[in-house]
Amino acid sequence: MQAGFKNKRRAHIGILISGRGSNMIALADAVRDEIVANAEVAIVISDKANAAGLIRAQERGIETVVIERGGRPREEHDRQIVAVLRSRNIDLICLAGYMRILSAEFLDAFPGRILNIHPSLLPLFRGLNPQQQALDHRAKVSGCTVHLVDATLDGGPIIAQREVPVHADDTVESLSARILLEEHRLYS
Ligand code: GRF
């Protein structure tokens, strides 16, 4: 072990969710198992009080905070989230099923340090319901993408992708489930 290594500050990861949180859990487990080394999931923030992922994060001893939009302008909502992330010294933000577009102010607060995972092979099938879009286009292959978040919709620089086959008899549920398995492996 290198001198000083033990005292090196671990990177603080903040994860934003809106729902189920299965990617958040996969990430948290990868951090726990040191597949993602020298890091800790310092906080999980949800914009929905009823997000199922909140309980799953709490079960793992991860701090959770709910910050609902509550009819406020996007910038105001984001400002509150940024303040909480800053108060926890967050280095890297992972969007994991976070169903909101980030304001310019949010992006500027963490330049090049916000990641997202999307269930298609970007740049194909951006936006909502990408699995349904893949079926509608009779794609033979789809998959998932981890990318940096910028001001475009699912358009930031691509970091990693995984392919999955699309079967002739796939439903949106069966394709989504196959892609989700790969998402859980890819994000960490
Ligand atoms: C995932 O398919 C992710 O790629 C997309 O939203 C879904 C979230 O699922 N952005 P979960 O909340 O991580 O289970």
Side-chain angles (χ1 to χ4, degrees), residues 102-122:
L102 305 188
S103 62
E105 212 171 303
F106 195 149
L107 295 173
D108 290 346
F110 296 95
R113 292 192 285 144
I114 308 175
L115 300 177
N116 183 41
I117 187 156
H118 183 79
S120 77
L121 294 176
L122 292 172

Side-chain angles (χ1 to χ4, degrees), residues 26-42:
L27 269 175
D29 289 352
V31 168
R32 180 199 59 200
D33 298 342
E34 297 192 358
I35 294 164
V36 178
N38 247 353
E40 70 179 67
V41 178

